[in-house]
Amino acid sequence: MIVEDVLCPFCGCLCDDIKVEVEDDKIVGVKRACRLGSSKILGHERTKAPMVRVDGELVETTYEEAYDRTARILKGAKRPLLYGWCSTVCETHKKGILLAEEVGGVIDSTATVCHGPSIIGIEEKGLAGSTLGQIKNRADLIVFWGANPAEAHPRHTMRYSSNSSGMFTPEGRRGRKVIVVDVRETRTAKNADKFLLIRPGTDYEVISALRMIVADKGDLVPDYVAGVAKADLEEVAGIMKAAKFGALLFGLGMTHSRGRYKNVDNALSLVADLNGFTKFVVMAMRGHYNVAGFGQVSAWETGFPMSVDFSRGAPYFNPGETAACDLLARKEADAMMVVAADPASNFPRMTVEGMAEIPVIQIDPFPNPTTLLADVVIPSAVCGVEAEGTAYRMDGLSLRMKKVVDSPYPTDEEIIQNILDRVRRLGDDN
Amino acid sequence: MMISGRTLGQGATSEAKMSTEFFRATSFCALSELDYNALGVSEGGNVLVRTKFGEVVVSAKKDKGLPSGVIFIPMGPWANALVGPETGGCGTPQFKGVEAEVEETKMVVLDVRELFADLKAGAETS
Amino acid sequence: MIIKGGFVYDPANGVYGEEMDISIEGGKVVEESRDGKEIDALGMLVMPGGVDAHAHIAGAKVNCGRIMRPEDGRRGIEPKTKLLRPQTGYTVPNCYAVGYRYARLGYTCAFEAATPILESRHTHEELEEIPIIDKGALTLFGNNWEVLECVRDGDLDKLAAFISWGLSASRGYGVKVVNPGGGEAWGFGGNVKGIDDPVPNFGVTPREIIRGLMKANEILRLPHSVHLHTNNLGKPGNYETTLATLKAVEDIAATRDRQVLHVTHMQFSAYGGTGWRDFESKAPEIADYFNSHAQFTMDMGQLIFGSATTMTADAPLEYGNARLLHAKWSNHDIELEESSGVVPLVYGRKMPINAIQWAIGLELALLTKNPWQVIMTTDHPNGGPFVNYPEVIALLMSRAKREEELASLHELASKRSSLPSIEREMDWNDIAIVTRAAPAKILGLPEKGHLGLGADGDVAIYDINPTDLDPSKDHSKVKEAFAKAKYTIKGGEVVVRDGEVVAVPQGRTYWVDASVPEDQAAKVKADLVEKFAKYYSIQMSNYMVQDAYVTHPRVVKAGVI
């Protein structure tokens, strides 16, 4: 049997045209997906059963015991951190936020180690964006800045950006200009009409220079800006202003480098400036398929998109203070629940050391380095393959993910609900 | 200057992180041809990368796309051994643009389990 | 349940302050209730639950406002309680605060004013999280490519079939039209300048779009009329566009017992002047027109001084706002369908433009003689947040309060509007009309906005004795009482007591299922198959809002067959 129009649970492209071949409730083939998506849909080694750490070793246990242990850890903690949420559906996010409220914890998403600075940039300036289809149908200029979709979002260019075609872009790639700005010549850069090589950590300076040139104040710009020749900057600014519809798509090159949210702030300002001359939109190339969804759910439930601290009973938001990395680096968190993420791999080593010292609960379909630090491990169904639910694409469009095959594992949503029930019961007993 | 980032190999194995494929996909350091040759790394050899936050041994690769003075390590635990914890008040560590020293080494690359072995062991007694 | 002894204002049923009991059972108003429950409303004001026909309370642009405005989130914070989730925000409250705060005002129903079809799933995700009240969402059609093409081809039956499909796909309630044609032009950074300015690449004019959609709306006999945000909204001199728009559709007749067109947040469309320097009110001209054209209705879009978050599908307007005010600016274009924008701003008492805008909203409400034609809104949160409705009620009821306010405003509010000379003070009956009876009638909700037999058991009880309180003098007491309902009863359940939320039931979501002939539906489907293959960035099978997102639906049937 072929299941049509399946959504891919990998990156922020959230491709929804995947064909999955199922035989005897097993996935035997995947069509149209990229290498990243196929590998996930086809499956990897799974955590087979719930585990708890006994005498330093993880030993298999029952779900009931794992839920009980988790509830006791969270209830007993003064500053529990509930982290992750990027590779699960919004229905899980809702339960997770409820659990964080219940235990007076901090809930944070992987955005804080990816596009968190983009969100802070948006708080400063707002974001002039669009859906991906608008870019597909109209954009005659695509600028990838610190983004490498060839490796991170393999179908982006074909479906939505440089190589896509639409109503006013019938010629596809031939009718478009593509500019890449990066610190190295990535595979994406090789497909560009113009590649601007900048030194690491100079995004802010380069954007500022472009803004000056766009505003016709180019005479104030020196001959070289962070190693880039003024003539190159003038060429790029000229292409931007001459476009009928430009799109600036930026990646972690902007948010992970010196300047972080200020880089984004400046890039958003550049796009706002360009709208004085032509139509221009900007978008963050979100990594995981539903990291954007957590921000949305958290915003409508708590008022804030990430790093929400419930220790006062009301939401308190102050990234830099209440973000996961900050809490761990300050050794403030005294318990951590990790859902659908792998902070042990993705946090700085010195931050991970903060994790190693506290009880860690992991809810995830797959073993990973976080498992090595976990005291309770609860395996779950893979969302988008074994469980349905909502996910938000990088442009903020929400779509419903399908369940393609059955799973012996409970869904993330069910797991969190079970933990929540037990936490409430513990509360009643006290 | 060390930068980290996504690659196809890293992505395809990011939910199979205990696999040798993930190890192969993320425990290397890409260097420009110039830097690679200057370090005198032998074919398939390793380098020791050191920043003020930590050090790690990874295998070395040439990458024509890299300018001299910039090294690239795929997103993952090896790269993160070199990244500092401070977030500059915005919650996000600076994963890219960390000043690093690179030298050729005969030391071996630790696998995932070895990388984390000391961490939880240290916590057991507490 | 019996609500005993209150002064009941139920204008839809000709009840004007009579002391009478209201019985509710099974969630509905009944002749006699035998469940033994009693609410003592002796000496209090009893009205149907409030109905908000136009507010931005759920969906992508509301959440965009929350995300770009943590400074707003930090206002109005209330911690969780045993019963309630935490609350945040003033202009862009979180979902829980939306439900709780409406209930505390005695409101039991509110409609989200604009949802693009493509992003309706998100709108419903938020509507589902808003507790207590019933709700619905108006679907945007004014810049949709399929609409523009049907209008260009003059195929009204196909257009009606597309509206039917769009309402079903979005689980939407009615046809919202925002700056028709302008949203499409904004796709390349442009706009339309008036109702006869052609839309680039489509060869249709806003006049044709509005007329086409209104006619199709009437073919489908939808419960609500077209709900229009005019072209040139927010610009000096735009009253001419507004009047030209109304005159352009005078020949179209409603096929149901309601208005043929609702013009929303009229305050933003009643401006004179050639620019901001000679900006002035043209509310009297608009009100005069309405006084002789009973087929049209409007809502105030009253401005409230202080913080607001403007959010609208009128994206070029928002870009203009942001440039003018050097404010934060978010924009969001939606492929093939719409554009939109969000800009936070502060309305200042001493800002001449803001002061005049404030006066215009009140002029419109007070100069339009028939209160059934002009309903109370603040276009939340564009004119200001809905929690300020009690302030607006007090202003409508008290000339003294208006004079006090005018004295604190920039003098141009008095010079460039007719407000100082307006003597009219609304009475309790007028207030019951503009806040519940008329919005329900305009939306086409026969079970809302009144307390006749069979109506929803939605009741607001305010601690006011209308026989001994003079609202003209005691306007602060009026405001206080309307801010904290003594009781709010939703579907026969007490949800607010003494201004505090005491129960949190889940409300229902209205949407309209309009039938069309199969051949017309097939024509639309063929068009859409092609559009999804070539232009949309998602598959057609993943487009429609699934039932999982509307867990408590109230489906209203309409249509051709």
Side-chain angles (χ1 to χ4, degrees):
Chain A
M1 180 185 68
I2 305 275
V3 186
E4 303 272 346
D5 298 345
V6 172
L7 277 78
C8 173
F10 194 88
C11 82
C13 286
L14 204 63
C15 299
D16 74 330
D17 61 341
I18 312 300
K19 291 173 187 282
V20 179
E21 197 178 347
V22 179
E23 272 174 27
D24 298 331
D25 211 31
K26 295 251 177 336
I27 293 170
V28 294
V30 177
K31 285 188 183 139
R32 290 191 180 167
C34 68
R35 189 177 146 203
L36 303 178
S38 324
S39 79
K40 175 145 186 198
I41 297 168
L42 285 168
H44 298 294
E45 182 203 351
R46 302 285 286 268
T47 301
K48 293 188 176 51
M51 296 184 285
V52 289
R53 197 170 287 275
V54 179
D55 297 330
E57 294 296 324
L58 285 171
V59 294
E60 289 192 2
T61 185
T62 61
Y63 274 96
E64 299 303 307
E65 169 60 18
Y67 296 151
D68 280 339
R69 272 280 274 272
T70 302
R72 284 201 302 275
I73 290 170
L74 291 177
K75 192 75 192 171
K78 285 200 170 64
R79 199 110 173 92
L81 169 62
L82 289 72
Y83 173 81
W85 315 103
C86 58
S87 293
T88 187
V89 291
C90 295
E91 289 73 8
T92 313
H93 302 155
K94 293 177 197 170
K95 299 280 185 208
I97 291 166
L98 201 50
L99 180 59
E101 282 176 20
E102 196 71 37
V103 299
V106 176
I107 191 161
D108 197 16
S109 83
T110 57
T112 53
V113 291
C114 291
H115 276 287
S118 306
I119 294 169
I120 299 174
I122 292 166
E123 290 167 2
E124 301 276 315
K125 282 287 174 338
L127 175 131
S130 74
T131 63
L132 287 163
Q134 184 81 334
I135 294 169
K136 163 189 160 80
N137 282 300
R138 297 185 198 260
D140 58 349
L141 171 65
I142 306 284
V143 183
F144 288 114
W145 194 302
N148 184 14
E151 309 246 11
H153 304 90
R155 295 183 76 210
H156 193 283
T157 49
M158 192 57 83
R159 274 172 66 79
Y160 310 125
S161 56
S162 35
N163 295 44
S164 67
S165 61
M167 173 76 109
F168 303 108
T169 52
E171 296 184 307
R173 178 68 184 85
R174 276 182 298 124
R176 281 199 182 88
K177 283 209 161 65
V178 176
I179 298 174
V180 171
V181 184
D182 212 314
V183 297
R184 61 191 177 104
E185 193 183 1
T186 59
R187 287 176 53 189
T188 305
K190 292 187 170 80
N191 177 39
D193 299 298
K194 174 81 186 167
F195 171 50
L196 210 57
L197 179 73
I198 66 171
R199 285 206 304 265
T202 63
D203 303 72
Y204 192 89
E205 290 92 319
V206 175
I207 297 166
S208 296
L210 284 172
R211 289 184 66 193
M212 295 295 280
I213 297 167
V214 165
D216 291 330
K217 292 173 187 161
D219 52 331
L220 300 173
V221 174
D223 291 341
Y224 283 88
V225 176
V228 183
K230 182 177 176 181
D232 281 331
L233 294 170
E234 284 172 337
E235 185 191 346
V236 168
I239 296 171
M240 286 174 155
K241 281 170 89 167
K244 283 203 186 94
F245 185 114
L248 173 60
L249 308 171
F250 66 94
L252 301 182
M254 191 99 72
T255 65
H256 278 177
S257 302
R258 189 173 70 101
R260 284 169 274 197
Y261 76 94
K262 278 293 175 192
N263 297 335
V264 177
D265 175 330
N266 215 9
L268 299 176
S269 301
L270 170 63
V271 169
D273 294 349
L274 283 163
N275 275 281
F277 303 93
T278 182
K279 181 66 185 270
F280 229 95
V281 297
V282 55
M283 191 182 301
M285 300 279 280
R286 307 301 298 266
H288 288 278
Y289 74 87
N290 197 27
V291 64
F294 181 84
Q296 294 291 339
V297 176
S298 184
W300 79 57
E301 304 226 334
T302 75
F304 307 104
M306 58 188 180
S307 311
V308 182
D309 179 353
F310 286 104
S311 62
R312 295 159 177 82
Y316 172 79
F317 164 73
N318 193 20
E321 179 192 353
T322 58
C325 283
D326 299 301
L327 287 168
L328 290 169
R330 283 203 310 273
K331 314 245 164 171
E332 199 171 298
D334 59 351
M336 183 174 184
M337 185 170 95
V338 179
V339 183
D342 180 19
S345 291
N346 295 329
F347 284 3
R349 173 79 178 190
M350 291 164 85
T351 312
V352 176
E353 285 166 8
M355 268 177 78
E357 293 172 14
I358 59 175
V360 172
I361 302 132
Q362 181 191 35
I363 300 170
D364 206 289
F366 308 107
N368 58 38
T370 298
T371 319
L372 301 174
L373 304 180
D375 300 277
V376 183
V377 178
I378 308 177
S380 61
V382 179
C383 291
V385 179
E386 300 167 342
E388 62 180 343
T390 317
Y392 281 71
R393 206 165 68 174
M394 63 167 69
D395 56 354
L397 179 67
S398 95
L399 290 165
R400 186 156 188 86
M401 306 194 85
K402 293 188 169 78
K403 175 180 174 173
V404 182
V405 290
D406 286 328
S407 169
Y409 302 102
T411 64
D412 293 327
E413 190 187 351
E414 288 163 352
I415 293 168
I416 309 274
Q417 182 64 52
N418 269 296
I419 295 166
L420 185 59
D421 291 344
R422 280 164 177 76
V423 164
R424 283 176 172 160
R425 246 178 273 151
L426 286 172
D428 293 342
D429 295 345
N430 291 343
Chain B
M1 197 66 93
M2 190 279 288
I3 55 173
S4 59
R6 296 188 205 278
T7 68
L8 267 180
Q10 167 265 331
T13 57
S14 69
E15 310 221 37
K17 289 207 184 94
M18 311 314 281
S19 66
T20 51
E21 290 79 9
F22 177 72
F23 174 78
R24 263 187 247 123
T26 56
S27 64
F28 71 82
C29 167
L31 302 121
S32 72
E33 203 151 2
L34 194 72
D35 293 347
Y36 188 97
N37 294 338
L39 286 171
V41 188
S42 54
E43 191 68 29
N46 294 341
V47 288
L48 173 67
V49 187
R50 191 183 292 125
T51 69
K52 69 174 172 178
F53 307 109
E55 57 182 49
V56 74
V57 177
V58 284
S59 58
K61 268 191 189 177
K62 282 183 207 172
D63 183 336
K64 289 200 177 103
L66 278 167
S68 174
V70 178
I71 62 168
F72 174 84
I73 305 178
M75 195 175 275
W78 289 271
N80 282 327
L82 304 168
V83 175
E86 72 81 29
T87 73
C90 76
T92 310
Q94 189 178 314
F95 290 98
K96 298 181 198 279
V98 188
E99 296 232 17
E101 284 173 25
V102 187
E103 62 184 70
E104 191 267 337
T105 182
K106 297 290 174 228
M107 288 191 283
V108 295
V109 182
L110 297 181
D111 72 18
V112 173
R113 284 174 194 282
E114 289 164 339
L115 265 187
F116 289 91
D118 57 317
L119 279 181
K120 199 68 185 178
E124 284 312 309
T125 50
S126 61
Chain C
M1 167 191 294
I2 304 176
I3 299 162
K4 289 192 82 95
F7 296 100
V8 176
Y9 282 86
D10 181 11
N13 294 303
V15 177
Y16 308 115
E18 287 169 38
E19 282 176 271
M20 59 187 280
D21 298 347
I22 303 285
S23 296
I24 301 172
E25 215 166 84
K28 298 278 181 188
V29 177
V30 294
E31 196 92 51
E32 197 184 347
S33 163
R34 296 169 204 278
D35 64 7
K37 288 183 206 157
E38 262 189 40
I39 302 274
D40 180 9
L42 198 70
M44 293 188 211
L45 184 64
V46 176
M47 290 183 176
V51 176
D52 196 340
H54 186 108
H56 300 273
I57 51 174
K61 66 191 175 326
V62 181
N63 229 24
C64 169
R66 295 184 187 109
I67 291 169
M68 73 191 277
R69 297 205 68 187
E71 76 279 11
D72 188 84
R74 292 182 180 113
R75 296 180 67 179
I77 284 185
E78 292 183 46
K80 76 189 275 277
T81 69
K82 274 214 176 293
L83 179 69
L84 306 184
R85 305 285 298 267
Q87 300 178 53
T88 57
Y90 171 60
T91 68
V92 277
N94 64 338
C95 290
Y96 311 112
V98 170
Y100 304 154
R101 291 175 190 173
Y102 267 121
R104 293 171 67 174
L105 298 180
Y107 272 64
T108 52
C109 182
F111 272 56
E112 161 55 44
T115 184
I117 308 173
L118 183 61
E119 295 190 337
S120 289
R121 199 171 351 264
H122 178 167
T123 305
H124 285 288
E125 278 208 278
E126 291 195 29
L127 288 177
E128 286 285 302
E129 289 295 308
I130 296 175
I132 305 175
I133 59 172
D134 292 332
K135 55 250 163 176
L138 303 178
T139 306
L140 290 157
F141 284 99
N143 293 285
N144 190 299
W145 288 1
E146 182 71 14
V147 170
L148 302 185
E149 287 165 13
C150 287
V151 169
R152 182 192 61 202
D153 301 342
D155 194 341
L156 290 180
D157 290 326
K158 190 162 108 182
L159 179 57
F162 177 68
I163 291 172
S164 155
W165 190 82
L167 289 176
S168 172
S170 62
R171 294 294 191 260
Y173 184 78
V175 178
K176 176 74 183 295
V177 182
V178 173
N179 185 16
E184 166 51 34
W186 181 247
F188 285 115
N191 198 0
V192 291
K193 294 180 183 66
I195 62 169
D196 293 314
D197 190 10
V199 183
N201 302 310
F202 286 89
V204 291
T205 62
R207 177 195 297 269
E208 291 162 347
I209 299 168
I210 297 165
R211 286 182 60 86
L213 284 168
M214 282 177 68
K215 285 180 178 170
N217 195 95
E218 298 313 312
I219 289 174
L220 289 171
R221 301 171 50 80
L222 298 180
H224 186 40
S225 69
V226 164
H227 192 111
L228 177 69
H229 162 134
T230 61
N231 297 109
N232 283 331
L233 185 137
K235 291 184 187 143
N238 65 10
Y239 84 107
E240 291 179 5
T241 305
T242 306
L243 289 176
T245 305
L246 292 165
K247 283 174 186 154
V249 299
E250 278 178 4
D251 60 314
I252 301 174
T255 53
R256 287 173 73 134
D257 174 26
R258 54 149 167 73
Q259 75 287 352
V260 69
L261 177 69
H262 180 78
V263 183
T264 190
H265 37 67
M266 184 64 95
Q267 179 270 122
F268 293 108
S269 299
Y271 299 159
T274 57
W276 297 110
R277 275 178 194 285
D278 58 353
F279 179 80
E280 62 177 343
S281 167
K282 288 290 179 185
E285 283 77 355
I286 299 284
D288 273 355
Y289 182 87
F290 271 69
N291 286 337
S292 58
H293 293 84
Q295 73 268 45
F296 300 123
T297 57
M298 62 169 137
D299 59 85
M300 292 166 71
Q302 176 61 28
L303 184 139
I304 300 292
F305 294 112
S307 182
T309 303
T310 64
M311 52 179 66
T312 169
D314 195 340
L317 166 76
E318 291 292 27
Y319 175 69
N321 279 345
R323 293 276 285 199
L324 192 69
L325 303 163
H326 300 283
K328 297 195 227 184
W329 171 52
S330 283
N331 176 81
H332 189 59
D333 293 357
I334 294 126
E335 61 205 63
L336 287 81
E337 297 185 4
E338 268 301 337
S339 58
S340 64
V342 182
V343 174
L345 47 78
V346 175
Y347 295 120
R349 288 172 178 272
K350 298 294 184 193
M351 295 289 290
I353 305 298
N354 299 160
I356 298 166
Q357 289 176 308
W358 175 87
I360 291 172
L362 296 170
E363 283 180 280
L364 288 167
L366 294 165
L367 294 175
T368 304
K369 289 179 186 145
N370 180 0
W372 292 89
Q373 268 182 289
V374 50
I375 59 179
M376 191 190 75
T377 66
T378 57
D379 186 18
H380 165 89
N382 283 289
F386 69 81
V387 290
N388 294 289
Y389 285 172
E391 165 80 6
V392 183
I393 290 171
L395 286 165
L396 293 172
M397 298 191 84
S398 169
R399 189 180 188 195
K401 178 172 172 70
R402 297 199 292 267
E403 278 169 357
E404 278 169 33
E405 293 290 327
L406 275 170
S408 76
L409 305 185
H410 194 280
E411 56 176 15
L412 282 183
S414 295
K415 289 184 178 159
R416 301 259 182 94
S417 82
S418 68
L419 190 64
S421 67
I422 299 176
E423 289 173 11
R424 181 173 170 203
E425 293 180 327
M426 285 196 175
D427 60 19
W428 303 111
N429 191 55
D430 291 331
I431 294 300
I433 293 170
V434 301
T435 59
R436 39 268 284 162
K441 175 86 168 71
I442 286 168
L443 284 170
L445 301 170
E447 66 273 42
K448 296 282 183 202
H450 73 103
L451 296 172
L453 294 183
D456 283 349
D458 296 358
V459 186
I461 305 172
Y462 300 106
D463 195 0
I464 290 175
N465 185 329
T467 58
D468 65 26
L469 184 127
D470 178 357
S472 180
K473 285 201 199 74
D474 290 329
H475 51 79
S476 61
K477 284 187 184 157
V478 172
K479 183 175 165 182
E480 207 178 311
F482 275 97
K484 283 189 163 193
K486 178 78 179 169
Y487 293 96
T488 304
I489 295 156
K490 168 72 178 46
E493 182 178 4
V494 175
V495 292
V496 170
R497 185 181 296 126
D498 294 326
E500 299 302 327
V501 176
V502 294
V504 189
Q506 175 79 3
R508 294 175 304 177
T509 300
Y510 284 89
W511 68 274
V512 168
D513 180 8
S515 61
V516 290
E518 270 177 35
D519 59 326
Q520 296 298 335
K523 273 161 69 181
V524 166
K525 194 176 172 198
D527 282 4
L528 291 171
V529 166
E530 192 192 341
K531 285 203 166 63
F532 277 92
K534 287 185 177 169
Y535 307 133
Y536 271 107
S537 66
I538 63 168
Q539 302 296 105
M540 193 164 164
S541 70
N542 288 319
Y543 184 75
M544 200 170 260
V545 173
Q546 293 86 353
D547 288 335
Y549 297 94
V550 189
T551 58
H552 295 69
R554 169 80 171 80
V555 186
V556 178
K557 298 276 184 193
V560 182
I561 26 178

